[in-house]
Amino acid sequence: MAITRASIENIPIHLVTSIPSIETYNNIVNKKYYSTKLEKRYKEASLPKIEIINLHSEILKKESWIANKTINEVNKFLEKGEQVLFFLNRRGYAPFVICKKCGYKFQCPNCSVNLNYHKNLNKLLCHYCGFKSSLSRNCKDNIKCDLSFCGPGVERIFAELKKIYPNKKIEIFSSDTLEKNELANELLKKVEKSKIDILIGTQLLSKGFHFPKLNCIVVVDGDFSSHGYDLRSAEKNVQLYHQLSGRAGREGNFSTIFFQTYTPEDEILINISKNNPNLFLQKELLLRKEKKLPPFYRLISLIISGKNEALIMKFAMSIKLKIPQIKEVNVLGPVLAPISKLRKKYRCRILIRYPKDLFIQKYLSQFLNKIKITSGIKLEVDVDPINFS
Ligand SMILES: [Zn+2]
Ligand SMILES: [Zn+2]
C-alpha cells in the first residue's frame, strides 16, 4: 500500500527493516531500490552468539521442557545479575488436552484445531475464533475423563521455571498478560528497573523493546519443520529470530541466544544460527527462482469457502476445469487450507502461477465474472498472496 501510494503521489519512500522480504531484496539486487545499511548496533554492541542445544543429548524429565544444559548456561547470566528471556510462541498452559481413558481430544467446534488449555482462566480456548469451554467432561464409564495436558505453553514454562528458581522474580509477557496498557507499562518498567530476573515471552516480545540487562535468550522450542505449506516460512522465521536476538546485549555486553531443538540439522535453524541475513537472502532468492516462486513468478490465490467441505471442493474442481488454458500458466490445487475449518467454514485454495511479465489479471477477472457462484459458497481472489494459512 505504501509503495503504491508513494508511486501515485510521486514521493520518495523509505522501507525500514532489519531483514527485508525476498521481494524487496530482489528489488535491491536489480537496482530498482537503493539500500542504506546501519552497519553497527547501538553502543557498538555485537549481535548475540548463537548456540544450539541438542535435546537428543540428554533425557528430559517427565513434563519438563528445559534441559539441564540450558539451566547451567542460564545460571551464568543470572549469577551476574543479568536477565534471561525464555521465548515460546505459544500462549496458555498446554496446546492440547486428551483423555487418557477414552482418547477424547478437546477440539474447537468451529475450527479444525485443538483447544488450548489456559491455567490462569482454567478454561479451554480456541486461539482462532475465541471459543471457550470448561474442562469437565464425562468419560465412557460415566466418571470424569482423566485428562492429560500435552506440550508446553508459556504458562507451563512459567510453572517449570518457578520450580527451578523458586526465589527468582519471573513474569510472563504475552497478549493475555499485556492486554491492558497500564499493566504492560508496569511490567516493562519492572524489567527496566531489574525487578524481574526471568521473562517468558511470545512473539509479542520480539519487537522494539529495549531491555538493558537482558543478555541471554532461550528459544524453548527451536523446531521449524512443520510449516511446509507457506513459501515464506523460512523468511518469516529468519526475520522473527533476528528481531528476537536484537533484544539481547543491547548495552554492549556479551550475549547469547540458545536454541533448544530436536532437529539441529534443520535448514531453517541453520540459516538462523549463521546470523548472516545476506547469505540467507541470496540463497533463498536462488531457491525461489529454481522453484518458480515469487518474485520470479506471480501467484493468484482463489479461496473458496463454505459450510460444506464436499461442496466447496466440488465447486473448486469445476472452476479449475473452466479456467482457460494459457501457455506458461499453471493452475495448482484445489487443496484444503492447512486449517481446513475456521469459524465454522471450510476453505480450500486454487493457486494460479504465471510468469511475472504476463498480465493475466484482466483476463482472469473477465472469466471469474462469468462464473455462477453456488449459494452458500464464497469465492475470494488474492493477488500476490502473503498469507497461506
Ligand atoms: Zn475456533
Ligand atoms: Zn475420557
Side-chain angles (χ1 to χ4, degrees):
M1 286 297 286
I3 295 164
T4 304
R5 179 156 181 202
S7 137
I8 291 168
E9 305 204 16
N10 198 22
I11 51 173
I13 177 164
H14 288 270
L15 305 174
V16 182
T17 181
S18 64
I19 300 182
S21 69
I22 300 292
E23 282 84 349
T24 297
Y25 175 69
N26 192 45
N27 284 330
I28 297 170
V29 171
N30 293 333
K31 305 223 158 46
K32 211 172 145 188
Y33 291 0
Y34 181 77
S35 86
T36 311
K37 279 184 192 164
L38 287 174
E39 301 282 359
K40 282 176 186 160
R41 283 183 92 192
Y42 172 66
K43 291 203 177 175
E44 307 226 347
S46 54
L47 273 172
K49 196 172 116 201
I50 293 176
E51 275 194 40
I52 290 174
I53 292 178
N54 185 349
L55 292 179
H56 285 299
S57 62
E58 71 177 88
I59 295 161
L60 290 184
K61 276 182 265 149
K62 212 179 158 223
E63 314 230 313
S64 152
W65 285 270
I66 301 162
N68 280 325
K69 195 174 172 205
T70 309
I71 296 165
N72 290 337
E73 295 291 344
V74 163
N75 288 342
K76 293 178 197 163
F77 289 89
L78 291 175
E79 279 158 17
K80 284 189 275 180
E82 296 177 348
Q83 286 164 335
V84 177
L85 162 67
F86 283 80
F87 177 82
L88 179 67
N89 211 3
R90 219 175 288 136
R91 292 159 51 208
Y93 183 81
F96 67 100
V97 182
I98 56 172
C99 169
K100 283 183 249 178
K101 286 189 291 179
C102 68
Y104 180 84
K105 214 172 182 181
F106 287 85
Q107 287 190 310
C108 179
N110 309 322
C111 315
S112 56
V113 296
N114 298 316
L115 291 172
N116 286 257
Y117 177 57
H118 284 240
K119 206 170 192 172
N120 285 344
L121 306 167
N122 193 26
K123 282 230 155 63
L124 291 156
L125 209 68
C126 173
H127 287 174
Y128 291 88
C129 73
F131 174 85
K132 275 184 197 148
S133 87
S134 86
L135 271 177
S136 78
R137 182 179 185 274
N138 277 353
C139 207
K140 50 188 178 183
D141 49 12
N142 253 335
I143 309 169
K144 274 195 175 173
C145 274
D146 184 10
L147 302 179
S148 170
F149 299 92
C150 307
V154 283
E155 291 179 3
R156 200 170 201 175
I157 295 302
F158 175 85
E160 185 175 351
L161 286 168
K162 210 64 208 169
K163 251 188 227 162
I164 304 170
Y165 300 108
N167 299 320
K168 295 284 179 203
K169 284 172 224 95
I170 309 175
E171 294 277 0
I172 299 177
F173 276 62
S174 80
S175 55
D176 298 304
T177 53
L178 293 183
E179 223 162 56
K180 286 189 191 125
N181 238 334
E182 32 199 303
L183 219 73
N185 286 338
E186 212 175 289
L187 262 176
L188 291 172
K189 256 185 219 145
K190 271 184 169 175
V191 181
E192 275 169 35
K193 287 183 183 157
S194 292
K195 285 188 176 155
I196 294 174
D197 306 305
I198 300 172
L199 298 146
I200 305 159
T202 59
Q203 187 155 353
L204 206 66
L205 215 69
S206 64
K207 286 183 187 150
F209 299 112
H210 177 68
F211 301 139
K213 281 273 179 187
L214 178 71
N215 292 321
C216 172
I217 298 175
V218 175
V219 176
V220 177
D221 178 13
D223 287 299
F224 304 98
S225 43
S226 61
H227 297 290
Y229 58 84
D230 186 347
L231 73 97
R232 291 189 178 83
S233 65
E235 173 187 331
K236 283 177 186 165
N237 273 308
V238 169
Q239 286 169 336
L240 168 64
Y241 286 95
H242 192 75
Q243 279 270 351
L244 183 70
S245 64
R247 290 318 101 219
R250 295 179 69 86
E251 292 282 316
N253 286 319
F254 168 78
S255 62
T256 312
I257 173 164
F258 297 96
F259 283 85
Q260 294 198 135
T261 182
Y262 283 105
T263 53
E265 304 298 324
D266 181 78
E267 230 188 292
I268 293 183
L269 180 60
I270 288 168
N271 276 324
I272 294 168
S273 67
K274 278 187 186 145
N275 220 345
N276 187 343
N278 236 6
L279 192 71
F280 165 74
L281 291 166
Q282 282 167 21
K283 255 176 46 187
E284 188 71 6
L285 197 61
L286 284 176
L287 204 70
R288 294 275 186 92
K289 193 170 194 173
E290 202 181 291
K291 293 196 170 169
K292 297 188 171 183
L293 291 169
F296 301 97
Y297 279 70
R298 291 185 74 179
L299 298 172
I300 294 177
S301 187
L302 305 180
I303 303 146
I304 296 115
S305 58
K307 285 189 178 168
N308 183 322
E309 184 182 342
L311 209 66
I312 60 157
M313 282 305 273
K314 205 176 136 198
F315 180 74
M317 269 321 284
S318 78
I319 291 192
K320 176 173 177 161
L321 294 173
K322 282 185 217 148
I323 293 176
Q325 288 188 6
I326 307 165
K327 209 182 154 214
E328 286 191 285
V329 177
N330 304 118
V331 181
L332 313 165
V335 284
L336 277 173
I339 298 168
S340 59
K341 191 170 107 181
L342 207 62
R343 295 180 189 91
K344 293 186 178 160
K345 282 192 174 158
Y346 290 91
R347 298 168 306 141
C348 72
R349 175 191 310 272
I350 294 173
L351 214 51
I352 301 169
R353 174 172 65 189
Y354 58 100
K356 66 172 185 180
D357 47 5
L358 215 64
F359 292 93
I360 69 163
Q361 280 106 315
K362 241 185 197 164
Y363 198 52
L364 194 72
S365 76
Q366 278 170 3
F367 157 74
L368 287 171
N369 282 336
K370 279 186 223 146
I371 281 183
K372 260 205 180 136
I373 295 171
T374 321
S375 79
I377 282 181
K378 193 172 154 194
L379 170 68
E380 287 163 279
V381 182
D382 191 358
V383 180
D384 300 331
I386 294 288
N387 195 340
F388 290 86
S389 57

